[in-house]
Amino acid sequence: MAASQYDITIEQGATFTLNIDFKDGNDQLYDLSSGYTGRMKIRHAVGGDLIDSSEPEDAPNNNISITLGSTSSSSPNIVVSIAANKTSGYTFSSGVYDLELVAGTNVDRVVQGRVTLDKEVTV
């Protein structure tokens, strides 16, 4: 399945949350609560410098949290979040991202797109 294209805006200094309903061909939520992990990176450009990540090996730029849910929980079954104290340190203007689900050796790119940082006025 091809990744969906979805551009996001992160507000500097605010908590960022991206809710995703990842569904099968029958419009049913996938149960992602067991056997799956999620990973996401934000870069200045494809193959460019890393801005942030969900991966521990990218510390200290690993501030993205991904929570995966089951079909029995209410939607969404994927929640991506970045704490306000982390987005306050962002200084980029724009970049790109993708979000992948990993189950064993199988990797599905769920969503990808551009990222825009909406700079904070009140500091």
Side-chain angles (χ1 to χ4, degrees):
M1 158 183 341
S4 296
Q5 181 75 29
Y6 185 74
D7 297 338
I8 59 176
T9 299
I10 297 174
E11 295 178 331
Q12 184 184 40
T15 301
F16 172 77
T17 304
L18 175 62
N19 296 315
I20 300 170
D21 284 330
F22 188 55
K23 298 180 179 182
D24 64 19
N26 296 319
D27 203 34
Q28 300 297 309
L29 289 173
Y30 279 103
D31 182 353
L32 303 174
S33 62
S34 178
Y36 288 88
T37 58
R39 63 186 184 196
M40 179 175 165
K41 293 192 181 196
I42 301 171
R43 294 186 178 275
H44 287 282
V46 175
D49 291 337
L50 181 70
I51 295 170
D52 214 343
S53 169
S54 63
E55 300 299 289
E57 63 269 14
D58 291 326
N61 296 329
N62 63 331
N63 303 298
I64 300 172
S65 172
I66 301 172
T67 304
L68 303 177
S70 70
T71 56
S72 61
S73 64
S74 60
S75 70
N77 60 348
I78 303 173
V79 178
V80 177
S81 61
I82 307 170
N85 66 333
K86 301 304 180 182
T87 66
S88 66
Y90 287 172
T91 58
F92 70 97
S93 293
S94 63
V96 294
Y97 81 99
D98 64 11
L99 169 68
E100 297 176 333
L101 289 176
V102 181
T105 59
N106 189 44
V107 178
D108 289 307
R109 190 173 338 151
V110 176
V111 64
Q112 63 188 15
R114 294 184 180 100
V115 181
T116 302
L117 183 65
D118 185 6
K119 301 280 176 93
E120 185 174 27
V121 175
T122 305
V123 182

